[in-house]
Amino acid sequence: MAEIFINYRTGDGDRTAAAIERELAHRFGEDKVFRASRSIRPGERFPQRLVEAVRRSTVVLTVAGASWSRSRKLHDEDDWVRREIVEALACGIPVIPVLDGRDVQRFSTDDLPPELADLAEVQSLRFDVHNGNADFTRIGDELAQLVPSLRAADRTAPRRPAHEAGVANTMGDVHGPGTQGRDFTGDVGTVIKNPSGNVHTGTGDINAQRYSGNHYSGNSQHSAGDGAINVSGDISGGIGQHFGGPRRRPEDEDEQ
C-alpha cells in the first residue's frame, strides 16, 4: 500500500514533486509512494484510481509553488488538486504542505477556499533546491516519525548497536590480545578459555552454549593452549596445543 500520496499541480511544483517522490521511494520503497503520473498505469481509470489512492494513504504531501494558493483553480470543484485534498481531509488523513522554494509563503485563509482553509493552520515543510539534500532528509525524517510502517521500512535507519543486537562475548584468563571481528549476523555467544596468543573471529554465526569441566556443548569456536583452535560441533575431552619444541615421548626416556 502507498502510505505517501503526493499531491501537486502541473506547472507549479510538479518537478519538485517528482524529485521528492524519487527520494522517498529510494528511502522507503517504491510501493510506499503514490504520484499520479508514475503510479497510474495506461488503461486505468484515473478518477477512480486517484480517489482510492488518497483513501488508502496515511499522509498526503501537497507540493505548492509560488502561485499555488492564489490559483483560481482551487475554487473549482472539479479541480483534481482540490478534490484530492478535500478527500483526504474528509477521511481524516493528515495533509502536509511542502512549500516549493525559499520565498514561498505559508498559506493564508484569505487565498484559500473555505474547504481548504484548514491548510493555513497546518505546520508545513519546505523544499529549497539550494538545500536539497538536507530538505529531502528532513521530509523523510518527519514522515518516518509520523508513520510507523515507514519507520520500519526506512533504508537509512542506523544499524542497532551490537549490545542491542544480542551479541555477548566472554573471555577468561587471556594472555595476549583477543579480538572480536565485526559484522556478525544472528546471535553470537563466544566462549574463550585459557588461550595464549591471538584470537580472531570472522563473519558469521558463532554459538557457544555451555562449558562444563572438559566438555563443550553446542556449535562453538574455542581457543586453548599456546595457540588457537577453531572447532565446530560437540567436543568431549581436553583441547590443547603446545608450542616451543617437540615433546618427549615416554619411550624416548627409556632410550636414554
Side-chain angles (χ1 to χ4, degrees), residues 110-154:
D110 294 336
D111 296 329
L112 299 173
E115 294 81 3
L116 305 183
D118 286 349
L119 294 184
E121 300 178 356
V122 172
Q123 179 70 354
S124 60
L125 294 170
R126 186 176 300 277
F127 178 81
D128 179 5
V129 67
H130 300 291
N131 196 39
N133 289 337
D135 288 346
F136 282 137
T137 298
R138 186 190 174 194
I139 292 170
D141 289 347
E142 293 292 342
L143 293 175
Q145 289 295 317
L146 179 65
V147 184
S149 61
L150 294 179
R151 186 161 60 250
D154 192 349

Side-chain angles (χ1 to χ4, degrees), residues 137-184:
T137 298
R138 186 190 174 194
I139 292 170
D141 289 347
E142 293 292 342
L143 293 175
Q145 289 295 317
L146 179 65
V147 184
S149 61
L150 294 179
R151 186 161 60 250
D154 192 349
R155 297 169 179 172
T156 67
R159 298 179 65 178
R160 291 190 303 166
H163 70 276
E164 294 181 7
V167 178
N169 297 307
T170 303
M171 303 178 70
D173 299 331
V174 178
H175 303 287
T179 304
Q180 176 192 310
R182 61 186 294 275
D183 294 334
F184 290 99

Side-chain angles (χ1 to χ4, degrees), residues 91-114:
C91 295
I93 298 169
V95 178
I96 302 176
V98 179
L99 306 180
D100 184 14
R102 67 179 65 182
D103 297 326
V104 177
Q105 301 299 313
R106 293 185 58 179
F107 299 153
S108 169
T109 54
D110 294 336
D111 296 329
L112 299 173

Side-chain angles (χ1 to χ4, degrees), residues 6-27:
I6 299 181
N7 169 269
Y8 64 96
R9 186 177 298 286
T10 301
D12 188 8
D14 52 338
R15 292 185 179 181
T16 296
I20 291 174
E21 179 237 323
R22 182 176 62 251
E23 294 296 322
L24 295 180
H26 178 73
R27 178 166 177 173

Side-chain angles (χ1 to χ4, degrees), residues 10 31 36 49 53 65 71 82 100 111 135 147 157 164 182 195 213 220 223 235 251-252:
T10 301
D31 61 323
R49 188 79 169 84
S71 173
R82 169 192 165 117
D100 184 14
D111 296 329
D135 288 346
V147 184
E164 294 181 7
R182 61 186 294 275
S220 312
S223 298
I235 306 161
E251 55 267 28
D252 293 336

Side-chain angles (χ1 to χ4, degrees), residues 18-232:
I20 291 174
E21 179 237 323
R22 182 176 62 251
E23 294 296 322
L24 295 180
H26 178 73
R27 178 166 177 173
F28 301 113
E30 291 187 2
D31 61 323
K32 300 295 184 182
V33 187
F34 182 97
R35 184 173 65 90
S37 59
R38 181 191 65 85
S39 303
I40 299 179
R41 302 301 180 189
E44 290 185 319
R45 299 175 63 87
F46 83 88
Q48 179 181 354
R49 188 79 169 84
L50 285 173
V51 172
E52 289 177 351
V54 171
R55 290 173 178 173
R56 293 177 180 177
S57 67
T58 306
V59 61
V60 172
L61 297 182
T62 293
V63 182
S67 60
W68 188 91
S69 62
R70 296 190 298 274
S71 173
R72 297 307 305 170
K73 293 180 180 179
L74 288 179
H75 298 265
D76 181 358
E77 292 184 357
D78 293 328
D79 177 54
W80 271 104
V81 171
R82 169 192 165 117
R83 290 179 64 178
E84 291 166 5
I85 297 173
V86 169
E87 186 68 30
L89 295 174
C91 295
I93 298 169
V95 178
I96 302 176
V98 179
L99 306 180
D100 184 14
R102 67 179 65 182
D103 297 326
V104 177
Q105 301 299 313
R106 293 185 58 179
F107 299 153
S108 169
T109 54
D110 294 336
D111 296 329
L112 299 173
E115 294 81 3
L116 305 183
D118 286 349
L119 294 184
E121 300 178 356
V122 172
Q123 179 70 354
S124 60
L125 294 170
R126 186 176 300 277
F127 178 81
D128 179 5
V129 67
H130 300 291
N131 196 39
N133 289 337
D135 288 346
F136 282 137
T137 298
R138 186 190 174 194
I139 292 170
D141 289 347
E142 293 292 342
L143 293 175
Q145 289 295 317
L146 179 65
V147 184
S149 61
L150 294 179
R151 186 161 60 250
D154 192 349
R155 297 169 179 172
T156 67
R159 298 179 65 178
R160 291 190 303 166
H163 70 276
E164 294 181 7
V167 178
N169 297 307
T170 303
M171 303 178 70
D173 299 331
V174 178
H175 303 287
T179 304
Q180 176 192 310
R182 61 186 294 275
D183 294 334
F184 290 99
T185 58
D187 294 331
V188 180
T190 304
V191 176
I192 304 172
K193 185 176 180 62
N194 297 324
S196 177
N198 297 331
V199 178
H200 302 281
T201 58
T203 300
D205 295 336
I206 303 173
N207 300 295
Q209 297 177 358
R210 185 177 66 240
Y211 172 82
S212 177
N214 292 324
H215 179 71
Y216 291 87
S217 63
N219 293 324
S220 312
Q221 288 194 3
H222 306 285
S223 298
D226 296 324
I229 300 175
N230 294 328
V231 181
S232 296

